Amino acid sequence: MDSFKYLIGKNINEVDLDVSSDFILAPLGYFTKHCGRKYPSSKFKLADLDYFDLISFSELFKKEAIFIIWFDEDGIITDLEIYYLSNDFDILFKDYYHIKKAIDNGEAHRLREGDTRYLGASRLSEMVMQPNSDKLANKRELVLKKKYLQKIINEISYCSEY
C-alpha cells in the first residue's frame, strides 16, 4: 500500500487507477457532516446483473479484499484503506442467495435493495426479460450498499482512533 501513498492529496479525476492488483479497486467518495463524521456518497458497483447468466458468488468475490481510495466532496484523495470482505462473506452470501433465489423463481421484478443487508441488486431504469416469468424486470447491477460502506468507514475510524 505504501506504493500508493503518492495518491493522497491528488484529485481522483487526475490519477490513473487502472492498475492490476490482488484487490477490488474501489474509488469511493464521501461527505463529512458538521460533526466531522464521514458518510459514503454512493453505492459501489461490483458487476452488472445478467438474469440469464448470473455471475457466481465466488467469481463476484474472487478477490477477498477491497482497496478503498477515499476522496472528499472536492475529489481530493484523503485516505487509502484495505478492507477484507472475507470477514463478511456469510452476510454477503446470504444477500447473494436471496437475489439468486428471486431470479430463479421468476421474481426479479420484486427485488428491492431493502431485502438485503450489504449486497444489493440496484435497480436501473431499463426493463428486460427475466427467466421463469413473462413479466419484465428492471435491469440491475450488483452493488455494495451505502449501509455496508458506512460500516467499513465506522470500523476504519474506530481502529484509527486507537
Side-chain angles (χ1 to χ4, degrees), residues 96-111:
Y96 175 86
Y97 182 75
H98 176 81
I99 295 165
K100 181 181 181 339
K101 185 176 160 188
I103 294 168
D104 291 345
N105 292 337
E107 299 288 326
H109 60 285
R110 294 189 182 195
L111 278 172

Side-chain angles (χ1 to χ4, degrees), residues 135-149:
K135 294 186 179 182
L136 291 176
N138 287 84
K139 196 172 183 178
R140 296 174 189 269
E141 52 191 22
L142 294 169
V143 298
L144 294 178
K145 295 169 61 169
K146 285 172 80 171
K147 174 183 176 180
Y148 185 52
L149 300 176

Side-chain angles (χ1 to χ4, degrees), residues 24-75:
I24 297 169
L25 187 62
L28 295 172
Y30 69 88
F31 62 92
T32 307
K33 292 229 174 166
H34 296 293
C35 62
R37 188 168 177 177
K38 295 179 182 177
Y39 293 90
S41 58
S42 64
K43 314 168 214 184
F44 177 68
K45 178 183 171 182
L46 291 170
D48 290 321
L49 199 159
D50 181 344
Y51 295 131
F52 291 94
D53 187 21
L54 185 63
I55 188 171
S56 69
F57 182 81
S58 59
E59 184 65 24
L60 186 62
F61 293 106
K62 65 184 170 190
K63 298 178 180 179
E64 290 185 24
I66 185 169
F67 178 59
I68 304 171
I69 301 172
W70 292 108
F71 61 92
D72 64 16
E73 299 96 339
D74 298 322

Side-chain angles (χ1 to χ4, degrees), residues 89-128:
F89 273 173
D90 55 337
I91 295 170
L92 290 165
F93 183 75
K94 284 179 188 175
D95 290 348
Y96 175 86
Y97 182 75
H98 176 81
I99 295 165
K100 181 181 181 339
K101 185 176 160 188
I103 294 168
D104 291 345
N105 292 337
E107 299 288 326
H109 60 285
R110 294 189 182 195
L111 278 172
R112 296 178 315 126
E113 276 191 72
D115 295 339
T116 55
R117 290 181 59 193
Y118 296 163
L119 179 67
S122 184
R123 183 181 296 179
L124 303 172
S125 59
E126 183 182 346
M127 301 292 281
V128 296

Side-chain angles (χ1 to χ4, degrees), residues 37-40 70 147-161:
R37 188 168 177 177
K38 295 179 182 177
Y39 293 90
W70 292 108
K147 174 183 176 180
Y148 185 52
L149 300 176
Q150 185 64 53
K151 173 189 177 291
I152 293 171
I153 287 176
N154 293 346
E155 287 182 18
I156 290 168
S157 297
Y158 176 77
C159 291
S160 64
E161 290 175 8

